[in-house]
Amino acid sequence: NAGVTQTPKFRVLKTGQSMTLLCAQDMNHEYMYWYRQDPGMGLRLIHYSVGEGTTAKGEVPDGYNVSRLKKQNFLLGLESAAPSQTSVYFCASSLGTREQYFGPGTRLTVT
Amino acid sequence: GDSVTQMEGPVTLSEEAFLTINCTYTATGYPSLFWYVQYPGEGLQLLLKATKADDKGSNKGFEATYRKETTSFHLEKGSVQVSDSAVYFCALSDNTGFQKLVFGTGTRLLVSP
């Protein structure tokens, strides 16, 4: 049972480039989330999804887009990367209002 | 809005010492409270939780009691081990339609032999 997986694990982008982060879960969870973790700021919610085909904005959505075309996958896109998006990105999933399960993270550097 | 405040780290202890990491919260209503742990290079894992006032969550020798009167959820362990070295996050959920978590800034614990 893989739980929550994220690809890639590391990525370096130049300003203005685009990329997509993939999150996959095999627990049949309805809810999925994308967070960013920055030093001294804990985790902040970027976007979330309460089911296949649905997405909603979290606390810091600007500069990001998401899609949930399949229940098991939640994609986070950066259309035009900026240095301020240098961060560690975590995906999580949950079964309703129960415990959230986190992936191992993606470390993104934008130069 | 809801918020969580944790003590700043790092907290440096010797093996077998007593651990306390303070956490206080501000929330409307009656949130659920959580402690998550992040080991180096890994994602967050739920350590323990409490869903109502006076509940005590416990796991792996760690415990925390939901104190509504002091809006606190301090993490304690009687005897820490080197393997407990990690970053600990306090979080709350406002128990609305889905489990939106609000995290504290995290406290790094370093335990030396």
Side-chain angles (χ1 to χ4, degrees), chain B residues 92-110:
Chain B
L92 68 79
S93 165
D94 62 7
N95 289 327
T96 54
F98 80 106
Q99 194 193 50
K100 177 185 173 184
L101 287 173
V102 175
F103 286 89
T105 54
T107 302
R108 182 175 300 276
L109 171 65
L110 300 170

Side-chain angles (χ1 to χ4, degrees), chain B residues 33-71:
Chain B
L33 301 174
F34 306 84
W35 277 102
Y36 279 82
V37 58
Q38 183 179 30
Y39 297 103
E42 298 184 11
L44 279 71
Q45 305 172 25
L46 180 66
L47 181 59
L48 53 84
K49 66 180 180 182
T51 58
K52 61 182 188 296
D54 299 326
D55 269 2
K56 178 184 285 189
S58 62
N59 186 26
K60 299 181 181 180
F62 291 89
E63 58 182 35
T65 302
Y66 188 144
R67 301 286 189 199
K68 186 171 182 296
E69 63 276 12
T70 55
T71 63

Side-chain angles (χ1 to χ4, degrees), chain A residues 25-45:
Chain A
Q25 53 94 5
D26 61 2
M27 297 174 282
N28 202 35
H29 285 172
E30 287 292 334
Y31 298 86
M32 297 188 74
Y33 316 82
W34 275 107
Y35 294 90
R36 59 179 289 172
Q37 182 182 29
D38 300 295
M41 300 189 74
L43 275 75
R44 293 180 292 168
L45 183 64

Side-chain angles (χ1 to χ4, degrees), chain A residues 25-99:
Chain A
Q25 53 94 5
D26 61 2
M27 297 174 282
N28 202 35
H29 285 172
E30 287 292 334
Y31 298 86
M32 297 188 74
Y33 316 82
W34 275 107
Y35 294 90
R36 59 179 289 172
Q37 182 182 29
D38 300 295
M41 300 189 74
L43 275 75
R44 293 180 292 168
L45 183 64
I46 304 172
H47 286 280
Y48 63 94
S49 168
V50 299
E52 181 178 321
T54 73
T55 64
K57 293 180 180 180
E59 183 185 354
V60 287
D62 294 343
Y64 304 95
N65 56 75
V66 289
S67 64
R68 183 102 180 264
L69 299 180
K70 295 182 178 180
K71 186 177 183 179
Q72 63 268 34
N73 295 336
F74 195 29
L75 278 62
L76 177 71
L78 286 73
E79 290 188 348
S80 180
S84 61
Q85 294 177 303
T86 293
S87 188
V88 181
Y89 292 86
F90 287 99
C91 176
S93 70
S94 66
L95 185 65
T97 58
R98 298 183 185 178
E99 171 187 355

